[in-house]
């Protein structure tokens, strides 16, 4: 299967190394601040005088202004080649500008630059250099394993060496290695999201998880198949997936399960294709609904990032996998179902299926004594209307926790915007005439908020104690940010792999 062939290949095309040497091998990559009119002194080591003159010329003539996200390639014949990249103004440039500059360079690399490059910074801090490397690697991704191999001829395998001082070397190597691991997680999430829905369905996702776990001693994957899900009473997951010949399942990831104490539990919406079911979607752009498993891809990708970087804490991931199809045996609008929580749900629209599968995933999370639960879901078109492709919608039953996630997103430049979890929305979603809850709001307004309010009904109390306190929980609606994000410099097109980095940062604090 093509999805499998691809697994483990991405992220390896570019090799990043760090060394304290002064040599410039291959093409020079030179990040510069706005206003530079000559090559900074710290960058001159190992540079031929003709290369230096050439760069000085374009800088002093104002041909390259080093504005953010700008590049210029110089081809100096025998004297070597260079890629100049802008960081913006020196006193304003942040770690995000360095990451963006790295990604901009990757986007600008052509076959003519050769396959060996050297980066020379002008006194950047270690976190800044590492962020540049992170940007280089994140942007080094394209999903083309469904193309004939000769179409991929333009893809160059490059080796990029970042030069630094001797005393910076060890720390920078450590940071770059961490980013390599995290980047594998982001690229895996993208692979899962981009994979066409004829090759990516619940059982394939489960098989991939099972195969993946074999590479690590500290990872366990449990698959709850269709029959087991029926037996366990996962009525939401079963109702959504039963109309498809690709039957639903729940895949549970556990890292370092023997570590004592509470742990983060991540829950993902994993609709491998969302036709809407009997409440069929319109035809235009329906192909994009292959990304409707982006929440589960985020969970799997985060697990990969944690495992690759040797994280020693306990983390659990629960992915709710199903294909939402119209069929003779599909659920109908009007059905009333009962899931793991025991609460009944009036299904008023079969296209509001993500919340149904998540209702079981969230309830299941309570079994793992969560420190907190975060769910990820391409849940509503309404969230895309509200925030476009620029920010994820973020809801929580705990204001402080919501702020913590918002800040983790800001730290890695993945925006998650606070949204309201109002009692009125909860009331709307529990106002069914015949069931405990309804999967559709009363009107069309505030659709992203009513969806969040519905999910809250299925977040268990600590130890499932009827009178206990509800477990800290956040919901991230990634419908607009998981794909189609044209301003996201870290990715060319397709699945973005968003929030693997946010959650890695939140969990590991690094
Ligand atoms: N998967 C969609 C949400 C979606 C829409 C994701 C656009 C990405 C882009 C979800 O299952 C859905 O169809 N939601 C409905 C809910 C409605 C029926 C209450 C929606 O947003 O229209
Ligand atoms: Zn839907
Ligand atoms: Zn959906």
């Amino acid at each position: 299967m093509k999805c499998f062939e691809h697994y483990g290949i991405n992220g390896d095309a570019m090799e990043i190394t760090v060394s304290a040497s002064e040599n410039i091998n291959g093409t020079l990559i030179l990040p510069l601040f706005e206003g530079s009119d000559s090559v900074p002194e710290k960058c001159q080591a190992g540079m031929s005088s003709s290369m230096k003159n050439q760069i000085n010329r374009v800088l002093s003539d104002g041909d390259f202004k080093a504005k953010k996200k700008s590049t210029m390639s110089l081809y100096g014949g025998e004297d070597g080649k260079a890629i100049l990249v802008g960081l913006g103004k020196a006193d304003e440039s942040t770690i995000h500008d360095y990451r963006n500059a790295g990604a901009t360079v990757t986007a600008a690399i052509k076959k003519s630059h050769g396959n060996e490059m050297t980066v020379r910074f002008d006194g950047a801090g270690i976190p800044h250099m590492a962020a540049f490397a992170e940007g280089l690697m994140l942007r080094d991704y394209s999903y083309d394993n469904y193309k004939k191999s000769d179409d991929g001829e333009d893809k160059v395998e490059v080796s990029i060496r970042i030069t630094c001082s001797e005393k910076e070397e060890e720390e920078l190597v450590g940071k770059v290695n961490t980013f390599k691991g995290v980047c594998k997680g982001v690229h895996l999430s993208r692979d899962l999201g981009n994979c066409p829905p004829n090759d990516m369905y619940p059982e394939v996702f489960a098989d991939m998880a099972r195969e993946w776990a074999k590479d690590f001693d500290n990872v366990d994957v449990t698959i709850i198949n269709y029959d087991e899900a029926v037996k366990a009473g996962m009525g939401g997951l079963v109702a959504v997936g039963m109309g498809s010949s690709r039957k639903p399942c729940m895949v549970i990831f556990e890292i370092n399960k023997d570590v004592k104490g509470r742990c983060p539990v991540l829950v993902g919406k994993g609709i491998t294709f969302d036709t809407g079911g009997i409440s069929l979607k319109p035809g235009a752009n329906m192909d994009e609904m292959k990304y409707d498993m982006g929440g589960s891809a985020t969970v799997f990708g985060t697990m990969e990032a944690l495992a690759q970087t040797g994280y020693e804490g306990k983390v659990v991931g629960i992915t709710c996998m199903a294909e939402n199809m119209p069929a003779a045996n599909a659920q109908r609008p009007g059905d009333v179902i009962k899931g793991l929580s025991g609460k009944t749900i009036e299904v008023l629209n079969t296209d509001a299926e993500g919340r149904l599968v998540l209702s079981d995933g969230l309830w299941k999370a309570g079994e793992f004594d969560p420190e907190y639960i975060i769910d990820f879901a391409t849940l509503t078109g309404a969230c895309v209307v509200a925030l476009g492709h620029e920010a994820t919608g973020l809801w929580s039953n705990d204001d402080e926790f919501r702020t913590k996630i918002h800040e983790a997103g800001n730290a890695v430049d993945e925006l998650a915007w606070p949204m309201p979890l109002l009692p009125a929305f909860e009331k709307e979603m529990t106002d069914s005439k015949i069931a405990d809850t309804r999967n559709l709001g009363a009107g069309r307004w505030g659709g992203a908020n009513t969806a969040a309010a519905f999910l809250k009904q299925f977040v268990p109390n600590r130890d499932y104690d009827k009178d206990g306190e509800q477990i800290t929980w956040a919901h991230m609606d990634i419908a607009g940010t998981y794909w189609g994000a044209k301003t996201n410099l870290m990715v060319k097109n397709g699945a973005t792999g968003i929030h693997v980095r946010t959650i890695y940062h939140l969990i590991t604090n690094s």
Side-chain angles (χ1 to χ4, degrees), residues 377-384 388-389 392-393 476-483:
T378 48
L379 201 64
T380 63
C383 192
V384 194
H389 292 282
T392 292
M476 300 182 80
D477 192 333
I478 55 173
T481 48
Y482 191 74
W483 58 280

Side-chain angles (χ1 to χ4, degrees), residues 269 274 281 289 292 349 351-353 355 378-382 440 479 483:
K269 167 177 172 181
D274 183 11
K281 284 183 180 298
M289 284 302 118
D292 212 21
N349 189 315
D351 196 12
E353 83 298 336
R355 59 196 79 183
T378 48
L379 201 64
T380 63
L440 190 67
W483 58 280

Side-chain angles (χ1 to χ4, degrees), residues 236-315:
L237 186 74
V238 167
V240 173
M242 67 189 185
S244 169
S245 58
R246 315 289 205 187
K247 288 293 179 262
C249 61
M250 186 179 278
V251 183
I252 301 179
F253 301 75
E254 290 172 274
I255 293 194
N256 304 314
K257 70 189 278 194
D258 297 330
V259 172
K260 297 268 165 298
R262 289 182 180 163
C263 69
V265 180
L266 313 176
V267 180
K269 167 177 172 181
I271 303 300
T272 57
F273 195 72
D274 183 11
T275 63
I278 296 297
S279 313
L280 195 65
K281 284 183 180 298
N285 305 324
M286 203 202 269
D287 58 292
E288 288 169 351
M289 284 302 118
K290 72 169 182 173
Y291 298 116
D292 212 21
M293 33 62 70
S296 288
T298 307
V299 173
F300 195 167
T302 304
M303 293 294 154
E304 163 83 335
L306 292 166
Q308 285 289 346
T309 55
Y311 181 65
E312 289 179 351
K314 179 164 62 173
V315 181

Side-chain angles (χ1 to χ4, degrees), residues 9 25 33 39 96 106 137 154 166 180 193 205 316 321 343 349 353 394 421 426 447 494 504:
I9 293 172
N25 301 323
F33 293 118
V39 178
H96 303 318
T106 299
M137 292 187 282
D154 275 349
E166 250 169 52
K180 279 184 190 171
F205 186 96
V316 172
M321 309 306 302
K343 291 184 186 178
N349 189 315
E353 83 298 336
L394 171 63
L421 197 62
E426 286 191 61
Y504 184 84

Side-chain angles (χ1 to χ4, degrees), residues 309-509:
T309 55
Y311 181 65
E312 289 179 351
K314 179 164 62 173
V315 181
V316 172
I318 298 176
T319 52
C320 311
M321 309 306 302
E323 186 179 52
N324 190 20
M325 289 297 233
N329 55 341
Q331 67 170 334
R332 295 148 287 255
D335 283 1
V336 173
I337 60 172
K338 189 195 276 187
L340 275 188
S341 71
K343 291 184 186 178
T344 52
I345 306 169
E346 186 181 10
V347 179
L348 291 165
N349 189 315
T350 63
D351 196 12
E353 83 298 336
R355 59 196 79 183
L356 302 180
V357 301
L358 286 173
S359 70
D360 285 331
L362 289 167
W363 196 260
K364 181 79 182 167
E367 286 180 18
F368 297 90
D369 193 19
E371 177 190 345
Y372 55 77
I373 302 169
I374 309 178
D375 75 72
F376 308 89
T378 48
L379 201 64
T380 63
C383 192
V384 194
V385 172
L387 299 170
H389 292 282
E390 301 307 321
T392 292
L394 171 63
W395 292 257
S396 176
N397 58 358
D398 177 329
D399 290 351
E400 242 174 72
F401 185 55
R402 194 190 55 223
T403 303
K404 237 174 127 182
I405 297 176
H406 173 64
E407 284 170 356
N410 288 348
V412 303
D413 207 16
E414 293 184 328
L415 298 191
W417 217 256
M419 300 283 277
L421 197 62
L422 304 180
F425 295 128
E426 286 191 61
K427 193 154 180 287
E428 193 172 330
M429 301 309 283
T430 49
D431 190 30
S432 160
K433 290 204 174 55
I434 63 164
D436 301 325
T437 63
R438 46 187 287 159
N439 81 333
L440 190 67
R444 56 189 283 255
W445 308 119
N449 299 311
T450 48
F454 175 89
L455 293 181
K456 182 169 180 280
Q457 311 311 310
F458 300 90
V459 177
N461 293 347
R462 174 91 32 220
D463 302 321
Y464 297 110
D465 175 358
K466 197 159 66 45
D467 305 312
E469 203 185 334
Q470 193 171 44
I471 295 168
T472 303
W473 154 79
H475 158 56
M476 300 182 80
D477 192 333
I478 55 173
T481 48
Y482 191 74
W483 58 280
K486 293 200 176 60
T487 58
N488 184 341
L489 277 183
M490 299 306 133
V491 61
K492 188 174 171 191
N493 54 35
T496 60
I498 195 146
H499 295 318
V500 168
R501 296 192 300 119
T502 306
I503 304 308
Y504 184 84
H505 184 75
L506 179 82
I507 291 176
T508 66
N509 218 354

Side-chain angles (χ1 to χ4, degrees), residues 75-88:
Y75 295 95
E78 296 204 344
D79 300 323
K81 300 170 182 174
I83 301 175
L84 313 182
V85 58
L87 292 165

Side-chain angles (χ1 to χ4, degrees), residues 173-192:
V173 167
K175 282 202 178 342
V176 169
N177 282 343
T178 300
F179 282 139
K180 279 184 190 171
V182 176
C183 201
K184 281 196 171 172
V186 176
H187 287 176
L188 171 59
S189 169
R190 291 180 190 167
D191 277 355
L192 294 164

